[in-house]
Amino acid sequence: MSTQAELFSQRLRAAWQRSDQILGLIPQHCYLNRPIGLRHPFLFYLGHLPAFAWNQVACSALGLPHFSQLLDLLFERGIDPEGEDGARAQSIQQWPSLREVLAYRDAVRTALLPLIPQVLERSHDALCEHGRVLNLVIEHELMHQETLLYMLAECPPGIIPHSPLYPLSKGGAGRAAEQVFIPAGEATIGARFTEIPFGWDNEFEQTTVTVPSFLIDSLPVRNSDWLVFLTSQGHAEELFPNAWLRGPTGLQVKTVFGPVPFEHAEGWPVQVTGQQARVFCAAAGGQLPTEAELHRAAYGSPDNASRYFPWGSAAPAAEHGNFGFRQWSPAPTGHSPAGASAFGVEELVGNGWEWTCTPFAPLPGFRAWARSYPGYSQDFFDGAHDIVFGASWATDEVLLRPSFRNWYRHSYPYPFSSFRVVRK
């Protein structure tokens, strides 16, 4: 096996290992649970990850037959309905057994690894060139690891056991935001297809946007800030975060391993919907930032030079932010000043995907280049989904490239999100 093929093999195995680690947190009797009613049960995702890999690499890229036509199609694609009625209509009642799905997963993995050299040999095919379809499968797995954790965080307390292997961040009040002036300048969004080895279709083609000057909060809004706001709004129920719980001893904040006292999480970025974040920003005399404004604040500089990461060109490390599973929860704001941008704006990468007011839409020159997955982005160009920027604690470092674009339905309360205020 070539060096390139071996590298892809190692990356696939590493992704599988983490997926198994996360799915292994779920008690076997809970695999048919649906802690988020808008999603399939846990069992679906156990089958979806290998099915997606086989359908992409073997069937689409290499023209091979289905591994198991029944399971390949059953687990082919997840759902993103607007409401739970739609989720029930798209789901099924009778799923295969856990033993059957585990056997399918293991057999697909064993059969997939020997196909890597065949993919790399097809350099004339854009899907295979540079191993694009392999990157597609790996990053799909990494993204689903994060969405699985959203589901774990919605499980009733006591379902998911905690272990020292999965450290939660230390509590604390965090640091309050200060306003930072960002001068007018350009923001570069996306990438050129020929200049990076892999990107999702919505990352192309690169565009440059002129951004007027603005003021931006140096840090995200904290749980404690939201509590003050909620009190000022008469504790309106529609503004109560889904990530909070009312317990017998007071407010609590959800984590993957059950709730923690509000006092522990008061300095963490508040996790709310994009719609709720808009209400806060308006009350604060501002608005959510645009995608271009966050790019300008993150990757721009006073001398108009651009950076690959907010902190510069150094490889991502613990001092730069809360990402890459170093911790298994948000951290108090202000925990990583070394990750500040050239303008002094902190936590633009890590600790929570930041809501923007920019609808998820194609960049100029967009094309669904992956014939194996033409609907990856364009199915969501519907005005109901907004761009989110940066990363969370559960985002793999490979997704920190500046061209990567993520999005969520703006009414969706479950992602590990954050937000900050801009003022014009």
Side-chain angles (χ1 to χ4, degrees), residues 215-262:
L215 290 168
I216 188 169
D217 283 356
S218 60
L219 289 162
V221 174
R222 301 168 294 179
N223 279 314
S224 59
D225 301 320
W226 191 271
L227 182 58
V228 172
F229 166 66
L230 186 64
T231 302
S232 74
Q233 301 296 308
H235 292 269
E237 193 62 30
E238 67 271 16
L239 296 176
F240 191 83
N242 178 79
W244 292 9
L245 292 171
R246 296 182 177 96
T249 59
L251 285 177
Q252 298 175 309
V253 177
K254 296 176 184 176
T255 78
V256 171
F257 306 108
V260 297
F262 185 88

Side-chain angles (χ1 to χ4, degrees), residues 171-222:
R175 184 150 41 88
E178 300 176 355
Q179 291 186 19
V180 176
F181 175 73
I182 308 295
E186 293 185 338
T188 300
I189 301 174
R192 294 186 177 89
F193 188 76
T194 57
E195 291 184 357
I196 60 175
F198 175 74
W200 296 88
D201 54 13
N202 64 71
E203 297 180 53
F204 307 113
E205 282 292 320
Q206 189 177 86
T207 187
T208 300
V209 180
T210 299
V211 183
S213 62
F214 59 97
L215 290 168
I216 188 169
D217 283 356
S218 60
L219 289 162
V221 174
R222 301 168 294 179

Side-chain angles (χ1 to χ4, degrees), residues 3 14 50 81 91 96 105-106 184 194 258 330 336-337 345:
T3 302
S91 194
R105 179 201 67 185
D106 294 343
T194 57
S336 53
V345 184

Side-chain angles (χ1 to χ4, degrees), residues 14-24 49 109 141 145:
W16 294 341
Q17 182 179 23
R18 188 191 289 154
S19 293
D20 293 349
Q21 179 185 19
I22 292 169
L23 287 161
L49 295 174
R109 289 178 176 178
E141 185 115 4
Q145 291 167 356

Side-chain angles (χ1 to χ4, degrees), residues 65-413:
H66 281 293
F67 191 88
S68 164
Q69 185 163 358
L70 174 65
L71 298 182
D72 291 355
L73 298 179
L74 175 64
F75 294 120
E76 184 173 23
R77 189 166 186 182
I79 55 176
D80 180 39
E82 188 172 0
E84 292 193 19
D85 288 343
R88 283 190 289 270
Q90 295 178 50
S91 194
I92 64 174
Q93 299 302 314
Q94 190 67 38
W95 293 90
S97 70
L98 177 59
R99 178 179 296 180
E100 184 179 358
V101 180
L102 286 170
Y104 168 74
R105 179 201 67 185
D106 294 343
V108 167
R109 289 178 176 178
T110 299
L112 195 67
L113 292 175
L115 301 181
I116 294 174
Q118 296 181 45
V119 170
L120 298 175
E121 289 169 3
R122 297 173 64 89
S123 58
H124 61 283
D125 182 348
L127 188 61
C128 296
E129 184 185 24
H130 306 305
R132 284 193 183 95
V133 73
L134 300 173
N135 278 307
L136 186 149
V137 165
I138 291 168
E139 292 197 7
H140 171 265
E141 185 115 4
L142 300 178
M143 287 187 280
H144 264 299
Q145 291 167 356
E146 187 164 353
T147 57
L148 276 167
L149 289 164
Y150 302 162
M151 296 173 65
L152 267 63
E154 293 302 310
C155 288
I159 295 293
I160 307 301
H162 192 206
S163 160
L165 295 174
Y166 314 111
L168 298 178
S169 73
K170 295 181 179 179
R175 184 150 41 88
E178 300 176 355
Q179 291 186 19
V180 176
F181 175 73
I182 308 295
E186 293 185 338
T188 300
I189 301 174
R192 294 186 177 89
F193 188 76
T194 57
E195 291 184 357
I196 60 175
F198 175 74
W200 296 88
D201 54 13
N202 64 71
E203 297 180 53
F204 307 113
E205 282 292 320
Q206 189 177 86
T207 187
T208 300
V209 180
T210 299
V211 183
S213 62
F214 59 97
L215 290 168
I216 188 169
D217 283 356
S218 60
L219 289 162
V221 174
R222 301 168 294 179
N223 279 314
S224 59
D225 301 320
W226 191 271
L227 182 58
V228 172
F229 166 66
L230 186 64
T231 302
S232 74
Q233 301 296 308
H235 292 269
E237 193 62 30
E238 67 271 16
L239 296 176
F240 191 83
N242 178 79
W244 292 9
L245 292 171
R246 296 182 177 96
T249 59
L251 285 177
Q252 298 175 309
V253 177
K254 296 176 184 176
T255 78
V256 171
F257 306 108
V260 297
F262 185 88
E263 292 72 23
H264 182 87
E266 64 176 339
W268 296 359
V270 66
Q271 179 182 314
V272 295
T273 69
Q275 293 169 333
Q276 291 170 323
R278 280 174 163 80
V279 177
F280 181 101
C281 291
Q287 63 187 55
L288 282 176
T290 65
E291 179 185 19
E293 286 168 343
L294 285 179
H295 266 271
R296 172 74 176 146
Y299 306 117
S301 65
D303 61 3
N304 291 321
S306 61
R307 293 181 169 190
Y308 190 82
F309 298 112
W311 55 85
S313 59
E319 64 265 25
H320 296 135
N322 184 16
F323 44 71
F325 290 83
R326 290 182 174 87
Q327 301 180 82
W328 285 65
S329 73
T333 58
H335 69 282
S336 53
S341 74
F343 295 112
V345 184
E346 299 180 41
E347 293 180 32
L348 287 159
V349 172
N351 223 25
W353 289 100
E354 293 203 25
W355 287 108
T356 76
C357 64
T358 300
F360 180 54
L363 297 178
F366 168 86
R367 64 184 178 91
W369 66 262
R371 65 177 186 276
S372 60
Y373 203 177
Y376 171 71
S377 296
Q378 62 189 13
D379 286 358
F380 303 96
F381 296 153
D382 56 8
H385 296 76
D386 289 341
I387 291 288
V388 292
F389 182 90
S392 84
W393 61 266
T395 305
D396 191 273
E397 290 178 8
V398 75
L399 303 177
L400 301 187
R401 61 180 178 272
S403 62
F404 184 78
R405 303 173 82 214
N406 196 10
W407 70 95
Y408 289 110
R409 192 179 292 274
H410 44 234
S411 59
Y412 197 53

